[in-house]
Amino acid sequence: MSFYAEIDAKLKEALKTKDRITLDTLRGLRAAIKNKEVELQRKLTEAEFYQLVAKQIRQREDAIVQFKKGSRLDLAEKEEKELEILKQFMPPPLSDDELEQLVRQVIAEVGAKGPQDMGRVMKEIMPRVSGRADGKRVSALVKQILSEGC
């Protein structure tokens, strides 16, 4: 099922059950998708969709921290519920072993010899792990493996 169909199905379900938070979250996600498509003047690819959802997730995480600092636990709780709804659209995360195997594979494909090739490796690997691994985690692993001498 495409992510468009999945969002529409969950939206219909939320309408039937009158789940206001899910409804608002999904409508916001659809609006973000539409805005991005207008900007790009085409439909989103799967990788772009995951990047968009990941951005929405980061926004919710930042908002939760800010609301808790401001002692607005009611708003923080609402953001946490929205966060859980958005996480349903992300693919399962890569395990450490899977990520390491993928990084080593890309390093071999690119022919990277050391830390100076980190940019080439990152450029190649990030689209492959889109939505399944955090960029900081990937970067740290690539740096570690390249500094070990591949």
Side-chain angles (χ1 to χ4, degrees), residues 123-144:
K123 181 180 176 186
E124 188 67 32
I125 198 167
M126 286 313 290
R128 297 186 192 188
V129 300
S130 181
R132 298 175 52 193
D134 180 52
K136 292 177 188 174
R137 182 175 157 218
V138 174
S139 176
L141 185 61
V142 169
K143 188 181 287 186
Q144 175 191 343

PDB file of all heavy atoms in Angstrom, residues 123-144:
ATOM      1  N   LYS A 123      27.062  10.597   0.925  1.00  0.00           N
ATOM      2  CA  LYS A 123      26.180  10.940  -0.194  1.00  0.00           C
ATOM      3  C   LYS A 123      25.509   9.688  -0.752  1.00  0.00           C
ATOM      4  O   LYS A 123      24.348   9.716  -1.137  1.00  0.00           O
ATOM      5  CB  LYS A 123      26.992  11.644  -1.281  1.00  0.00           C
ATOM      6  CG  LYS A 123      26.177  12.069  -2.476  1.00  0.00           C
ATOM      7  CD  LYS A 123      27.039  12.761  -3.511  1.00  0.00           C
ATOM      8  CE  LYS A 123      26.248  13.101  -4.740  1.00  0.00           C
ATOM      9  NZ  LYS A 123      27.089  13.630  -5.803  1.00  0.00           N
ATOM     10  N   GLU A 124      26.228   8.605  -0.777  1.00  0.00           N
ATOM     11  CA  GLU A 124      25.705   7.350  -1.329  1.00  0.00           C
ATOM     12  C   GLU A 124      24.810   6.607  -0.335  1.00  0.00           C
ATOM     13  O   GLU A 124      23.824   5.988  -0.725  1.00  0.00           O
ATOM     14  CB  GLU A 124      26.883   6.460  -1.744  1.00  0.00           C
ATOM     15  CG  GLU A 124      26.504   5.218  -2.488  1.00  0.00           C
ATOM     16  CD  GLU A 124      25.924   5.491  -3.869  1.00  0.00           C
ATOM     17  OE1 GLU A 124      26.312   6.478  -4.508  1.00  0.00           O
ATOM     18  OE2 GLU A 124      25.063   4.701  -4.294  1.00  0.00           O
ATOM     19  N   ILE A 125      25.142   6.666   0.956  1.00  0.00           N
ATOM     20  CA  ILE A 125      24.424   5.837   1.935  1.00  0.00           C
ATOM     21  C   ILE A 125      23.131   6.473   2.441  1.00  0.00           C
ATOM     22  O   ILE A 125      22.165   5.760   2.718  1.00  0.00           O
ATOM     23  CB  ILE A 125      25.332   5.439   3.114  1.00  0.00           C
ATOM     24  CG1 ILE A 125      24.717   4.253   3.836  1.00  0.00           C
ATOM     25  CG2 ILE A 125      25.557   6.589   4.059  1.00  0.00           C
ATOM     26  CD1 ILE A 125      25.620   3.567   4.797  1.00  0.00           C
ATOM     27  N   MET A 126      23.075   7.781   2.553  1.00  0.00           N
ATOM     28  CA  MET A 126      21.905   8.413   3.164  1.00  0.00           C
ATOM     29  C   MET A 126      20.586   8.109   2.445  1.00  0.00           C
ATOM     30  O   MET A 126      19.594   7.819   3.112  1.00  0.00           O
ATOM     31  CB  MET A 126      22.114   9.924   3.321  1.00  0.00           C
ATOM     32  CG  MET A 126      23.072  10.277   4.456  1.00  0.00           C
ATOM     33  SD  MET A 126      22.759   9.419   6.026  1.00  0.00           S
ATOM     34  CE  MET A 126      21.236  10.196   6.534  1.00  0.00           C
ATOM     35  N   PRO A 127      20.540   8.112   1.121  1.00  0.00           N
ATOM     36  CA  PRO A 127      19.263   7.738   0.482  1.00  0.00           C
ATOM     37  C   PRO A 127      18.851   6.286   0.779  1.00  0.00           C
ATOM     38  O   PRO A 127      17.669   5.969   0.832  1.00  0.00           O
ATOM     39  CB  PRO A 127      19.535   7.915  -1.014  1.00  0.00           C
ATOM     40  CG  PRO A 127      20.683   8.857  -1.093  1.00  0.00           C
ATOM     41  CD  PRO A 127      21.495   8.601   0.143  1.00  0.00           C
ATOM     42  N   ARG A 128      19.813   5.430   1.018  1.00  0.00           N
ATOM     43  CA  ARG A 128      19.515   4.016   1.287  1.00  0.00           C
ATOM     44  C   ARG A 128      18.961   3.787   2.691  1.00  0.00           C
ATOM     45  O   ARG A 128      18.249   2.821   2.921  1.00  0.00           O
ATOM     46  CB  ARG A 128      20.770   3.157   1.110  1.00  0.00           C
ATOM     47  CG  ARG A 128      21.301   3.160  -0.298  1.00  0.00           C
ATOM     48  CD  ARG A 128      22.437   2.197  -0.424  1.00  0.00           C
ATOM     49  NE  ARG A 128      23.152   2.374  -1.678  1.00  0.00           N
ATOM     50  CZ  ARG A 128      24.092   1.557  -2.096  1.00  0.00           C
ATOM     51  NH1 ARG A 128      24.430   0.500  -1.371  1.00  0.00           N
ATOM     52  NH2 ARG A 128      24.692   1.786  -3.240  1.00  0.00           N
ATOM     53  N   VAL A 129      19.334   4.641   3.635  1.00  0.00           N
ATOM     54  CA  VAL A 129      18.885   4.454   5.018  1.00  0.00           C
ATOM     55  C   VAL A 129      17.804   5.461   5.406  1.00  0.00           C
ATOM     56  O   VAL A 129      17.414   5.528   6.568  1.00  0.00           O
ATOM     57  CB  VAL A 129      20.055   4.542   6.030  1.00  0.00           C
ATOM     58  CG1 VAL A 129      21.094   3.491   5.754  1.00  0.00           C
ATOM     59  CG2 VAL A 129      20.675   5.923   6.045  1.00  0.00           C
ATOM     60  N   SER A 130      17.319   6.197   4.437  1.00  0.00           N
ATOM     61  CA  SER A 130      16.339   7.245   4.687  1.00  0.00           C
ATOM     62  C   SER A 130      15.187   6.752   5.554  1.00  0.00           C
ATOM     63  O   SER A 130      14.483   5.810   5.207  1.00  0.00           O
ATOM     64  CB  SER A 130      15.796   7.767   3.361  1.00  0.00           C
ATOM     65  OG  SER A 130      14.869   8.784   3.594  1.00  0.00           O
ATOM     66  N   GLY A 131      15.034   7.388   6.699  1.00  0.00           N
ATOM     67  CA  GLY A 131      13.952   7.037   7.608  1.00  0.00           C
ATOM     68  C   GLY A 131      14.215   5.829   8.479  1.00  0.00           C
ATOM     69  O   GLY A 131      13.446   5.533   9.374  1.00  0.00           O
ATOM     70  N   ARG A 132      15.292   5.128   8.234  1.00  0.00           N
ATOM     71  CA  ARG A 132      15.567   3.906   8.992  1.00  0.00           C
ATOM     72  C   ARG A 132      16.741   4.052   9.941  1.00  0.00           C
ATOM     73  O   ARG A 132      16.990   3.171  10.771  1.00  0.00           O
ATOM     74  CB  ARG A 132      15.808   2.749   8.025  1.00  0.00           C
ATOM     75  CG  ARG A 132      14.573   2.480   7.176  1.00  0.00           C
ATOM     76  CD  ARG A 132      14.770   1.443   6.137  1.00  0.00           C
ATOM     77  NE  ARG A 132      15.324   0.232   6.720  1.00  0.00           N
ATOM     78  CZ  ARG A 132      15.829  -0.751   6.000  1.00  0.00           C
ATOM     79  NH1 ARG A 132      15.846  -0.667   4.697  1.00  0.00           N
ATOM     80  NH2 ARG A 132      16.308  -1.817   6.581  1.00  0.00           N
ATOM     81  N   ALA A 133      17.498   5.146   9.805  1.00  0.00           N
ATOM     82  CA  ALA A 133      18.625   5.392  10.708  1.00  0.00           C
ATOM     83  C   ALA A 133      18.875   6.893  10.773  1.00  0.00           C
ATOM     84  O   ALA A 133      18.750   7.592   9.770  1.00  0.00           O
ATOM     85  CB  ALA A 133      19.879   4.661  10.217  1.00  0.00           C
ATOM     86  N   ASP A 134      19.225   7.358  11.944  1.00  0.00           N
ATOM     87  CA  ASP A 134      19.512   8.764  12.170  1.00  0.00           C
ATOM     88  C   ASP A 134      20.833   9.139  11.497  1.00  0.00           C
ATOM     89  O   ASP A 134      21.797   8.364  11.533  1.00  0.00           O
ATOM     90  CB  ASP A 134      19.582   9.016  13.680  1.00  0.00           C
ATOM     91  CG  ASP A 134      19.867  10.459  14.001  1.00  0.00           C
ATOM     92  OD1 ASP A 134      19.156  11.325  13.474  1.00  0.00           O
ATOM     93  OD2 ASP A 134      20.796  10.706  14.790  1.00  0.00           O
ATOM     94  N   GLY A 135      20.876  10.310  10.881  1.00  0.00           N
ATOM     95  CA  GLY A 135      22.077  10.757  10.180  1.00  0.00           C
ATOM     96  C   GLY A 135      23.303  10.839  11.076  1.00  0.00           C
ATOM     97  O   GLY A 135      24.414  10.526  10.649  1.00  0.00           O
ATOM     98  N   LYS A 136      23.109  11.235  12.337  1.00  0.00           N
ATOM     99  CA  LYS A 136      24.234  11.316  13.274  1.00  0.00           C
ATOM    100  C   LYS A 136      24.817   9.934  13.535  1.00  0.00           C
ATOM    101  O   LYS A 136      26.030   9.763  13.601  1.00  0.00           O
ATOM    102  CB  LYS A 136      23.773  11.933  14.595  1.00  0.00           C
ATOM    103  CG  LYS A 136      23.399  13.388  14.497  1.00  0.00           C
ATOM    104  CD  LYS A 136      22.881  13.910  15.819  1.00  0.00           C
ATOM    105  CE  LYS A 136      22.329  15.307  15.673  1.00  0.00           C
ATOM    106  NZ  LYS A 136      21.689  15.788  16.887  1.00  0.00           N
ATOM    107  N   ARG A 137      23.930   8.961  13.678  1.00  0.00           N
ATOM    108  CA  ARG A 137      24.362   7.575  13.927  1.00  0.00           C
ATOM    109  C   ARG A 137      25.125   7.034  12.723  1.00  0.00           C
ATOM    110  O   ARG A 137      26.186   6.414  12.875  1.00  0.00           O
ATOM    111  CB  ARG A 137      23.117   6.731  14.198  1.00  0.00           C
ATOM    112  CG  ARG A 137      23.362   5.313  14.524  1.00  0.00           C
ATOM    113  CD  ARG A 137      22.050   4.624  14.894  1.00  0.00           C
ATOM    114  NE  ARG A 137      22.171   3.209  14.689  1.00  0.00           N
ATOM    115  CZ  ARG A 137      21.220   2.418  14.225  1.00  0.00           C
ATOM    116  NH1 ARG A 137      20.036   2.913  13.947  1.00  0.00           N
ATOM    117  NH2 ARG A 137      21.432   1.145  14.064  1.00  0.00           N
ATOM    118  N   VAL A 138      24.626   7.301  11.513  1.00  0.00           N
ATOM    119  CA  VAL A 138      25.283   6.844  10.288  1.00  0.00           C
ATOM    120  C   VAL A 138      26.641   7.511  10.152  1.00  0.00           C
ATOM    121  O   VAL A 138      27.651   6.846   9.883  1.00  0.00           O
ATOM    122  CB  VAL A 138      24.404   7.135   9.051  1.00  0.00           C
ATOM    123  CG1 VAL A 138      25.148   6.785   7.774  1.00  0.00           C
ATOM    124  CG2 VAL A 138      23.089   6.384   9.133  1.00  0.00           C
ATOM    125  N   SER A 139      26.680   8.826  10.363  1.00  0.00           N
ATOM    126  CA  SER A 139      27.919   9.585  10.233  1.00  0.00           C
ATOM    127  C   SER A 139      28.994   9.065  11.194  1.00  0.00           C
ATOM    128  O   SER A 139      30.156   8.895  10.806  1.00  0.00           O
ATOM    129  CB  SER A 139      27.641  11.059  10.498  1.00  0.00           C
ATOM    130  OG  SER A 139      28.820  11.804  10.467  1.00  0.00           O
ATOM    131  N   ALA A 140      28.598   8.826  12.434  1.00  0.00           N
ATOM    132  CA  ALA A 140      29.562   8.333  13.425  1.00  0.00           C
ATOM    133  C   ALA A 140      30.118   6.969  13.017  1.00  0.00           C
ATOM    134  O   ALA A 140      31.327   6.717  13.130  1.00  0.00           O
ATOM    135  CB  ALA A 140      28.902   8.241  14.796  1.00  0.00           C
ATOM    136  N   LEU A 141      29.260   6.097  12.508  1.00  0.00           N
ATOM    137  CA  LEU A 141      29.703   4.758  12.097  1.00  0.00           C
ATOM    138  C   LEU A 141      30.608   4.835  10.879  1.00  0.00           C
ATOM    139  O   LEU A 141      31.641   4.161  10.823  1.00  0.00           O
ATOM    140  CB  LEU A 141      28.494   3.851  11.834  1.00  0.00           C
ATOM    141  CG  LEU A 141      28.823   2.398  11.516  1.00  0.00           C
ATOM    142  CD1 LEU A 141      29.573   1.744  12.681  1.00  0.00           C
ATOM    143  CD2 LEU A 141      27.534   1.623  11.236  1.00  0.00           C
ATOM    144  N   VAL A 142      30.254   5.669   9.903  1.00  0.00           N
ATOM    145  CA  VAL A 142      31.086   5.829   8.710  1.00  0.00           C
ATOM    146  C   VAL A 142      32.463   6.357   9.109  1.00  0.00           C
ATOM    147  O   VAL A 142      33.494   5.835   8.664  1.00  0.00           O
ATOM    148  CB  VAL A 142      30.415   6.775   7.681  1.00  0.00           C
ATOM    149  CG1 VAL A 142      31.392   7.163   6.578  1.00  0.00           C
ATOM    150  CG2 VAL A 142      29.174   6.132   7.091  1.00  0.00           C
ATOM    151  N   LYS A 143      32.472   7.367   9.975  1.00  0.00           N
ATOM    152  CA  LYS A 143      33.748   7.947  10.424  1.00  0.00           C
ATOM    153  C   LYS A 143      34.604   6.896  11.133  1.00  0.00           C
ATOM    154  O   LYS A 143      35.800   6.797  10.903  1.00  0.00           O
ATOM    155  CB  LYS A 143      33.462   9.127  11.369  1.00  0.00           C
ATOM    156  CG  LYS A 143      34.701   9.922  11.749  1.00  0.00           C
ATOM    157  CD  LYS A 143      34.364  11.049  12.706  1.00  0.00           C
ATOM    158  CE  LYS A 143      33.631  12.142  11.962  1.00  0.00           C
ATOM    159  NZ  LYS A 143      33.389  13.334  12.807  1.00  0.00           N
ATOM    160  N   GLN A 144      33.958   6.103  11.992  1.00  0.00           N
ATOM    161  CA  GLN A 144      34.678   5.065  12.744  1.00  0.00           C
ATOM    162  C   GLN A 144      35.283   4.034  11.799  1.00  0.00           C
ATOM    163  O   GLN A 144      36.463   3.687  11.911  1.00  0.00           O
ATOM    164  CB  GLN A 144      33.720   4.381  13.723  1.00  0.00           C
ATOM    165  CG  GLN A 144      34.331   3.215  14.451  1.00  0.00           C
ATOM    166  CD  GLN A 144      33.283   2.391  15.205  1.00  0.00           C
ATOM    167  OE1 GLN A 144      32.181   2.857  15.439  1.00  0.00           O
ATOM    168  NE2 GLN A 144      33.640   1.175  15.558  1.00  0.00           N
TER     169      GLN A 144
END
